[in-house]
Amino acid sequence: MSCKTELHCHSAEVSKCSHLSVESIVETYVAKGISTLVLTNHYSPHTFSHMSDASWKEKNDFYVSAYHKAVEAANGRINILLGMEFRNIYSDNDYLIYGMTEEFIYKYSNDEKNLIEMHIKDVSKLVREHGMLFFQAHPFRNGMTVINPSYLDGIEVYNGHPRHDSRNDIASMWADKFNLLRCGGSDCHDAGDESTVSLVTDEIIDSNEALITALKSGAALE
């Protein structure tokens, strides 16, 4: 049996560029027979631009709230995992983090220090030290800058966003050149974007550990 996992999806509760509620996303993915949804809302300066006076606990509460809503809406019908599309204050590059946990977010983004003000080399090191995987999202889309491949576990080679040219063919060649892991997802923001790209595995991905194992194994994208 083939099981499909969405690796790149945004909901309107947190990602201002999305126009889909988690409830509508969950219902669509359940109807399409998707086994697992990794919710990768943006964690960036823009995400929290309306919360300038809030504490980092309040900002993090806001961020994870969409994940909790998705789990509640799923009600066991589809596996929901917490992911992240990360951007810091130094560039417009985006990075997909898999294996993300709430504990990590609260520990490393607080009123003394926060992930968004860290340089990407340090974020990458921290993420990988905690057993997570660090991918550059759509690295050849306009406005993106390729970075030192040693900072990455992999790159997104198959981005399904219909309103951007992500130059997936170049990303695939880049992954080959530097022996990087591959990921891909729908980059869902609007109705009709859902489930255009999936990670395909023989077993259902129901945990961060299973997701990381599948990505490391080079599971197929379609």
Side-chain angles (χ1 to χ4, degrees):
M1 179 181 71
S2 292
C3 304
K4 293 186 176 182
T5 296
E6 171 66 82
L7 293 175
H8 194 164
C9 183
H10 302 278
S11 73
E13 290 83 357
V14 170
S15 293
K16 297 178 182 180
C17 49
S18 174
H19 302 99
L20 299 173
S21 69
V22 287
E23 289 85 0
S24 67
I25 290 169
V26 165
E27 293 307 318
T28 299
Y29 277 87
V30 168
K32 287 179 174 288
I34 304 302
S35 303
T36 304
L37 169 67
V38 185
L39 189 63
T40 54
N41 275 321
H42 292 284
Y43 195 93
S44 72
H46 187 57
T47 302
F48 306 112
S49 60
H50 67 296
M51 302 179 71
S52 57
D53 296 328
S55 69
W56 271 98
K57 181 183 183 304
E58 291 170 321
K59 293 175 183 178
N60 291 332
D61 288 346
F62 167 72
Y63 184 79
V64 301
S65 65
Y67 165 69
H68 289 295
K69 286 182 182 179
V71 171
E72 182 178 358
N75 194 27
R77 296 174 296 159
I78 182 173
N79 296 292
I80 307 294
L81 298 180
L82 178 62
M84 179 183 287
E85 184 167 353
F86 174 80
R87 180 185 293 188
N88 64 14
I89 62 174
Y90 302 106
S91 83
D92 289 334
N93 280 356
D94 295 310
Y95 302 89
L96 291 162
I97 304 174
Y98 298 112
M100 181 54 65
T101 66
E102 295 180 60
E103 292 77 13
F104 180 88
I105 293 171
Y106 283 97
K107 182 174 181 178
Y108 293 105
S109 277
N110 54 56
D111 291 337
E112 295 181 1
K113 57 185 178 182
N114 65 79
L115 294 168
I116 287 173
E117 295 181 353
M118 292 175 62
H119 287 279
I120 208 63
K121 180 180 179 180
D122 298 321
V123 176
S124 168
K125 183 175 184 290
L126 187 62
V127 163
R128 297 160 87 182
E129 284 176 348
H130 283 75
M132 294 179 256
L133 295 178
F134 196 69
F135 287 72
Q136 187 171 4
H138 42 68
F140 294 97
R141 184 183 290 180
N142 289 350
M144 302 293 104
T145 304
V146 294
I147 66 166
N148 187 332
S150 69
Y151 299 166
L152 303 171
D153 293 299
I155 61 173
E156 187 178 42
V157 300
Y158 194 175
N159 181 284
H161 198 305
R163 294 169 296 281
H164 286 286
D165 182 359
S166 297
R167 300 178 178 87
N168 293 321
D169 54 341
I170 301 175
S172 183
M173 289 188 289
W174 198 257
D176 288 340
K177 180 176 181 178
F178 292 103
N179 195 30
L180 295 167
L181 297 177
R182 297 161 170 260
C183 75
S186 303
D187 200 357
C188 176
H189 288 76
D190 292 284
D193 295 351
E194 304 96 331
S195 190
T196 57
V197 180
S198 299
L199 182 76
V200 182
T201 55
D202 292 331
E203 303 292 334
I204 292 175
I205 292 175
D206 57 3
S207 67
N208 280 333
E209 293 75 17
L211 174 61
I212 288 171
T213 296
L215 288 167
K216 286 183 174 180
S217 73
L221 298 165
E222 67 175 40

